[in-house]
Amino acid sequence: MAEMDGYETIVVDTADGVTTVRLNRPDKRNAMNPTMHREMVDALRRLADDDTTQVLVLTGAGRSFCAGQDLKEYFHEIRDDARAREQARRDSHDWRYRLLYNFPKPTIAAVNGYCFGGAFTVVASCDIAVAADEATFGLSEVNWGHIPGGMVTKIVADLMPPKQALYYILTGRTFGGATSARIGLTTMSVPLADLERTVSELADELKAKDPLTLRACKEAFKGVDIRGMSAEASLSWLTAKSDQLRRQQAQAGRTDGAESFLKKEYRPGFAPMPRARA
């Protein structure tokens, strides 16, 4: 793995194919400032091409996942500097949506504590989100005279049932990890004491699968707005993606999963296909 030291607001660590990026401003509840946005852009770009990173985990230091944008450093301090404001906006959007949402390897958000406002975008952009039961989620923008800005309102509208989304947008009330899973913002919730183990087990399960297939599955779902496509367009897109994957696997010497299944070498309903060609 390339050297990833020297960041001020994040910590990057890789072990056994799993890279953990930890938002590291615990005294500010890991609120996102322009420096964090800039460093996350750099880290995600480098990790996307890092062969030692098979799975990416994103979490927060201390008792918070992320408290949203740093109101002082992201909004107030640069409000009169048009260039700095535009750069911060660009970096903020780039890493939380373009780079994280389209990251070429599986991503897991481990929501360990407070998760407010702009942090919803981080959770939504990860493929899998595991929340601690004790985590606290909230859209408090209404309480200080704003709407959930950036991509947050769209994210909430895409993931949550409309009545639930509007309820939390309009009231600013908080909710816990179990509710976050029930309304579709996260994948599941577990006790905080089990969060690290659960995420580790998920990462190990993903690592065992063919990386070319994992990437193709992500691209098939995320590469275009599959939900908005017609049946005919979806069929064309998915057929082309399947054909592309088979070519890539053949070039890489991957085992043909269907062939191995017919030889009774494995059970695809219960295990990933063998890595080496039979």
Side-chain angles (χ1 to χ4, degrees), residues 144-201:
W144 40 282
H146 287 264
I147 67 169
M151 293 284 289
V152 177
T153 295
K154 174 173 173 51
I155 289 299
V156 171
D158 284 347
L159 295 181
M160 293 164 56
K163 295 301 183 186
Q164 295 292 320
L166 279 169
Y167 173 72
Y168 290 111
I169 287 173
L170 295 178
T171 66
R173 289 189 179 186
T174 60
F175 54 95
T179 297
S180 77
R182 178 175 58 79
I183 63 179
L185 179 62
T186 62
T187 310
M188 67 183 79
S189 76
V190 298
L192 179 60
D194 296 334
L195 180 63
E196 184 175 346
R197 176 184 57 79
T198 301
V199 170
S200 178
E201 290 173 352

Side-chain angles (χ1 to χ4, degrees), residues 14 89 112 123 165 255 275:
T14 298
R89 286 175 178 169
N112 55 304
V123 173
T255 297
R275 288 293 191 95

